Amino acid sequence: MGEPKEKIIITLREIIQETSDIYSFVFDVPESFSWVAGQHGIFRFVDRKIEDKDFRIFSFASIKEEKTMIFSTRIIENPSDFKKNLLLLEPGDVMTIDGATGKFILDDYNQITCIMAGGIGITPVRSFMKQIDELGVNPVLIKVLYSDDRGEFAYEQTLLDINSKYDGLDLEFISDRNLFTDKITEFASEHENNALYYIAGTPGMNSFLTEKLVGFGIEKNRIKTDVFTGY
């Protein structure tokens, strides 16, 4: 990885605990900083010495129009030094971000789409749904399957509120893995290659679901993935 072209200073506004172990970090960002729903950035501390890897890649959970930049991450007991320091941040503290990048973008609302999110993989999906609401566009059909084994769902009320406003959005919270895969099978069987398939989860989940979809005859160019490692 070469030297980043730019380092944008972002200022913490607040930390929100979304579930028992998912935290959202809400930042004020310069007006000039832009990103597209579904993209991610590389985050670093400014004045803290980190013992392990000194940067992390997080997807943006918010859209530019919200006037804040949000990322969320899972922080368990005995976290990495980086995540430990995230929780030590106070409002007014700063981090840096090396711009915005990524091709996990949803931009065709006339295309039947299935979005499969596992756990913290819901972060870019929040931005997708916020963008739909900002545009006020009713998609043809966007099926959102959000799976969490423990039944703890980040942004639950926000997602429900947006979902209720658009007939073309179909959001389901699922806490049973077998039901999750059954729902995916049902969708793929009905829509086949007439749909797009977005998968946001761990490398294992992404590989498993990609293989499953390809096994149904879904062409690989109909499948997009966003990988969450070490989150």
Side-chain angles (χ1 to χ4, degrees):
M1 184 181 295
E3 280 299 308
K5 294 179 181 177
E6 57 177 337
K7 280 189 183 297
I8 296 103
I9 299 289
I10 58 176
T11 306
L12 185 72
R13 180 181 291 189
E14 63 176 326
I15 300 173
I16 300 168
Q17 186 167 359
E18 303 280 358
T19 70
S20 64
D21 60 7
I22 292 177
Y23 296 82
S24 288
F25 296 82
V26 184
F27 290 87
D28 292 313
V29 295
E31 184 63 34
S32 59
F33 178 55
S34 293
W35 65 94
V36 177
Q39 289 191 311
H40 57 262
I42 299 173
F43 293 81
R44 292 180 171 87
F45 293 103
V46 172
D47 54 3
R48 295 169 188 261
K49 181 72 174 173
I50 304 301
E51 291 178 4
D52 56 0
K53 189 171 65 175
D54 67 353
F55 69 91
R56 288 292 189 280
I57 299 172
F58 296 117
S59 290
F60 305 119
S62 57
I63 57 172
K64 172 78 172 173
E65 290 79 4
E66 290 181 80
K67 307 296 186 187
T68 56
M69 194 281 300
I70 303 171
F71 71 76
S72 304
T73 189
R74 177 163 273 145
I75 303 180
I76 58 174
E77 285 186 41
N78 302 314
S80 67
D81 197 43
F82 191 99
K83 291 189 177 183
K84 190 183 300 179
N85 275 277
L86 280 178
L87 286 181
L88 293 174
L89 288 172
E90 300 279 353
D93 288 347
V94 299
M95 295 185 74
T96 64
I97 180 173
D98 299 356
T101 188
K103 298 178 180 179
F104 193 72
I105 294 167
L106 179 71
D107 54 9
D108 186 354
Y109 303 115
N110 292 314
Q111 173 70 65
I112 295 169
T113 303
C114 182
I115 301 174
M116 297 147 272
I120 196 65
I122 196 64
T123 51
V125 183
R126 181 191 183 280
S127 70
F128 289 159
M129 292 181 67
K130 275 287 187 179
Q131 189 67 63
I132 288 168
D133 199 32
E134 174 67 23
L135 295 171
V137 62
N138 190 26
V140 169
L141 173 60
I142 296 179
K143 177 84 166 178
V144 180
L145 300 171
Y146 177 11
S147 172
D148 187 279
D149 292 348
R150 299 170 305 170
E152 292 190 48
F153 302 102
Y155 327 124
E156 185 169 2
Q157 196 56 54
T158 297
L159 301 182
L160 285 170
D161 289 346
I162 297 172
N163 184 70
S164 69
K165 293 163 66 174
Y166 300 94
D167 294 338
L169 277 177
D170 184 7
L171 167 70
E172 290 191 55
F173 298 106
I174 302 170
S175 55
D176 181 286
R177 282 192 196 187
N178 291 329
L179 180 60
F180 184 51
T181 53
D182 287 348
K183 292 279 185 180
I184 295 165
T185 300
E186 182 183 319
F187 186 95
S189 299
E190 180 177 354
H191 298 287
E192 300 178 327
N193 284 302
N194 295 313
L196 293 178
Y197 299 83
Y198 284 66
I199 311 170
T202 63
M205 173 183 146
N206 289 6
S207 297
F208 171 76
L209 292 181
T210 297
E211 194 174 309
K212 190 174 183 65
L213 289 169
V214 169
F216 292 144
I218 305 302
E219 297 165 2
K220 278 200 169 179
N221 64 3
R222 310 295 292 175
I223 304 169
K224 291 189 178 186
T225 60
D226 201 22
V227 180
F228 290 78
T229 56
Y231 279 33

